[in-house]
Amino acid sequence: GSGVLADGRLADLIRRVATFGMVLMKLDLRQESGRHADTLDAITTYLDMGTYSEWDEEKKLDFLTRELKGKRPLVPVSIEVPADVKEVLDTFQIAAELGSDSLGAYVISMASSASDVLAVELLQKDARLAATGELGRACPGGTLRVVPLFETVKDLREAGLVIRKLLSIDWYHEHVIKNHNGHQEVMVGYSDSGKDAGRFTAAWELYKAQEDVVAACNDYGIKVTLFHGRGGSIGRGGGPTYLAIQSQPPGSVM
């Protein structure tokens, strides 16, 4: 008979549980692409394979694809690395132990190439293999979504090419279909593009990049979600949300 409570705080709680479930919100992870390259440098140097970051893009992709198809861990248990590299490896280890039940996407800031995405996929796979071996159990949930964040004007202009290159790699295409229901997420950055080229140019480059990314995913039969890194201020892409949505390229809002 207490309608005030039932229609008020109780109704709010029911709505929250219906919307978010009982697991609260998933956290995204985010790290800069150069930190992943430094980590792979440490690994390839330790294994006497050379210096990863000095290789050209094709050699990087050959190495990453070969290791992704393999069944053994890449990172030796005995490896000693600098503190900043250890931080990256430890983050992947924790992500493997928590899995996609608790974590959402792994966002790569300053992404500029297909190898930036495959590097994260490899470090993620390696950590999951290690966690399964050390903990003696399967990792919870699936692998995290790996989301490239294109920020500078140069990277925005090449975003479509990078996605096409990624999806043309058999391992990656199959991985997206099998583990992410044929769904690729791509993030576009407003603050760095604005600082790089000014707001007007950045807006136009963002527009063209989205068109190209959507076309690339359509060409390979992959669904795409565009994640807009819009902040509060105009310098970070802020402003009225409904105008921002209305101004998106046709076919990019699904």
Side-chain angles (χ1 to χ4, degrees):
S2 186
V4 172
L5 281 178
D7 297 333
R9 294 173 70 179
L10 180 59
D12 287 345
L13 176 62
I14 290 169
R15 287 191 191 105
R16 286 193 186 103
V17 173
T19 303
F20 303 118
M22 292 302 287
V23 293
L24 302 179
M25 297 296 288
K26 293 186 179 185
L27 288 175
D28 288 350
L29 300 177
R30 177 165 162 169
Q31 185 56 274
E32 201 256 331
S33 59
R35 295 287 299 276
H36 305 133
D38 292 344
T39 302
L40 286 170
D41 279 352
I43 295 165
T44 56
T45 302
Y46 182 84
L47 296 173
D48 295 324
M49 299 174 69
T51 306
Y52 170 83
S53 60
E54 293 177 358
W55 301 345
D56 62 27
E57 179 69 0
E58 287 306 314
K59 185 174 180 181
K60 287 178 181 176
L61 291 175
D62 286 344
F63 164 73
L64 294 166
T65 306
R66 185 171 67 249
E67 291 297 333
L68 281 163
K69 290 177 179 176
K71 296 180 179 178
R72 58 159 177 75
L74 174 68
V75 184
V77 177
S78 59
I79 192 170
E80 293 184 4
V81 294
D84 56 342
V85 171
K86 186 175 186 303
E87 181 189 34
V88 173
L89 292 174
D90 287 350
T91 300
F92 278 101
Q93 196 65 41
I94 293 295
E97 292 170 18
L98 293 176
S100 62
D101 292 347
S102 304
L103 302 172
Y106 193 109
V107 179
I108 310 166
S109 58
M110 289 298 172
S112 61
S113 63
S115 60
D116 288 337
V117 175
L118 291 191
V120 171
E121 292 286 10
L122 178 57
L123 291 169
Q124 180 172 211
K125 174 211 166 195
D126 208 77
R128 289 172 69 82
L129 283 174
T132 302
E134 289 174 21
L135 303 173
R137 58 177 173 78
C139 296
T143 59
L144 307 189
R145 307 189 314 278
V146 177
V147 182
L149 164 51
F150 300 106
E151 303 184 74
T152 66
V153 166
K154 180 180 181 292
D155 292 341
L156 285 168
R157 286 175 178 167
E158 296 176 2
L161 290 174
V162 170
I163 299 301
R164 281 188 174 84
K165 184 67 177 177
L166 263 179
L167 295 177
S168 71
I169 297 168
D170 290 342
W171 180 90
Y172 188 79
H173 193 265
E174 290 170 14
H175 167 71
V176 168
I177 291 172
K178 179 183 174 185
N179 296 307
H180 301 298
N181 299 315
H183 203 131
Q184 175 67 52
E185 187 172 330
V186 175
M187 187 173 174
V188 289
Y190 287 70
S191 55
D192 276 286
S193 58
K195 284 182 279 190
D196 193 19
R199 296 211 305 262
F200 184 80
T201 300
W204 178 232
E205 296 297 344
L206 284 157
Y207 190 99
K208 291 192 294 180
Q210 290 172 70
E211 285 187 318
D212 210 12
V213 165
V214 169
C217 289
N218 286 342
D219 288 346
Y220 285 91
I222 297 295
K223 298 188 292 289
V224 62
T225 293
L226 289 164
F227 172 7
H228 296 267
R230 298 178 70 244
S233 69
I234 295 295
R236 298 183 66 84
T241 302
Y242 72 97
L243 286 176
I245 294 170
Q246 286 179 323
S247 69
Q248 299 312 314
S252 69
V253 180
M254 293 162 246

